[in-house]
Amino acid sequence: MRKVISVIAILLGAIALVVGIGQKTFWAPPETVTASMPEFKEESPLTVIQPSVQNPGSEPVELVITGKGEFTASLARSYDVEAWVGDAAHVELTGVDRENHQLIAERIDGEKKTPNPAGDDLFFDSQKADGTMTYRWTAPDDGDWSLLLAADGTKAAPSEISVTYANDDAMPWALPLIIIGALLLVLGVALLVMRVIKPAKSANSGRRAETAVANTKNGPTKQNSLAVAAVLALAVSGISVPMAPTSDKPSDSPKASESASASESASASAKPSESTAEEKPSYPVLTEEQLQRVLSDVEKQIGKADEKNTKKDLDSRASGAFKDLRTKRYDILNDKIKIAKPLALKTSVIRSAAVPNSSEAKFPRVITVVTAKDSDPATLPIALTLQQNSARDNYKLTFAAQMLPNSTFPGIAVGDPSVTQLDANAEGLKVKPKDALTQLADVLTNEKSKHKDNFAESEFIKAIHSGQKAEQKDAKEAKVKYSRTVTDKDTQVVSTPDGGAIVTGRLNQKAVFERTEDADPLESADELTKKLLGSSTSNGNVEITYAEPVMMYIPASGNDDKIQLVASEVSLLSVKQVEEN
């Protein structure tokens, strides 16, 4: 009987092993599965693929995107993609139904046309394709990233998408069958080789020995042998029997278990409140790779405009005070007046970059950068400020000037988490940015200003005072009155890691030459003022207007350092005759 049972056990074990191993090998499901998009009746100019298509902790998914003709796939942070899409009609792919192997998507109605997003500064990367693209989903940095598909903003965006991912389907009985098969094989073999060991007879205990042998034959020896075989099989298969309690010391009473449950539920309820108290993670509005690409294109486009003095070429990469002053300089150069060409931008080397961090798509965005043509310490660096007005706009240059002698700019790495964007009334600084610009205007106008001790010694301030004195002296009988105002809309502020801030602003200077009644006519000092005035002399008062864009560093509140001018320039805007007061 024992031999029959062992043979049956071996046969069943072999069958179980074959079936179990088969389910892991030749009967196993495919390693990858492909899910496809549902069809939509209406077309959309955009398709958004959310990061939820990626299964956390698994290998990156592979997307096959098919469109009608050329299209682009642009990757950006999810909140930035959402801001770029805005109210446009789009198909949104939100996930994968891995049980039914289908993509989860919906169409959201809205505007039928958008700009072409390809290559916009907002996107970390844009890839072009014609007809079909295979895209392997990988995020370049922490946080959520989304993919935006578009043809040109007017044609239908690709919506025929399939996603290939690792197949999570498993044969649930594969491992149990392998284990059971192994157990049965071991048990069957053990029964075949097992022998009933008979104890040796002794002269003094014949009857008890016979009884013991009889008992052994009738049961206990068989039961023990089977137990030994079972334990041996478990040991061979490497399976532990889950019979011991998981805790070293079990609860002594129901109250103890109730207390433990209450403690667990209390800690569980505490977790959500802790997480809600945490702030959203913030990320740099530009990666270093994006910043280099932006600066390179800014240099290219501004250089193109400077080459032929064409104002139209400034539109793509210039705005604010920088564009106003550059345009005025082009007008003067195009009138064949001999003046210096504007400062050529050099952005090959980034020496410092105050790139703010944000946890949302908040605009406008401002960055401040110091660049140079090379890494030579003797090369004069250029201080730049750029602004992005909305998600669909590119960064445009609002300020550019060489750093002043003996001035410094904090060394800041791209992505420093302490850098944030501030407003003109920001607290925590030695002086509010708005007030600092107003005080500087007063210091430049009045050499004895009450605010002069707030500013560090500066060659620029000295040059302004010296120039005004010379101008007053050369005016002879005329009186010269100076005044300055601040253009609030051009004020931009970015914090620095030490708690201070970099402030960019624009001052407007007016110099009014008041001629006395019996004085000689006012004479223009140079060809430029003659050209702008339209005459070499004036019998009335003359008003000369200058723009003075400035960049300054304001220390943190409580710091003994003074406000320092980092960069500035003076640009003549107009010369005109005005009526007497």
Side-chain angles (χ1 to χ4, degrees), residues 228-252:
V228 170
V231 172
L232 179 62
L234 289 172
V236 171
S237 62
I239 305 299
S240 61
V241 184
M243 294 178 62
T246 55
S247 173
D248 293 337
K249 187 177 180 181
S251 301
D252 294 329

Side-chain angles (χ1 to χ4, degrees), residues 410-437:
I412 311 171
V414 178
D416 190 310
S418 62
V419 178
T420 58
Q421 189 170 319
L422 306 175
D423 60 37
N425 291 305
E427 302 283 353
L429 302 172
K430 194 161 190 175
V431 181
K432 290 182 179 181
K434 183 177 180 180
D435 295 340
L437 287 169

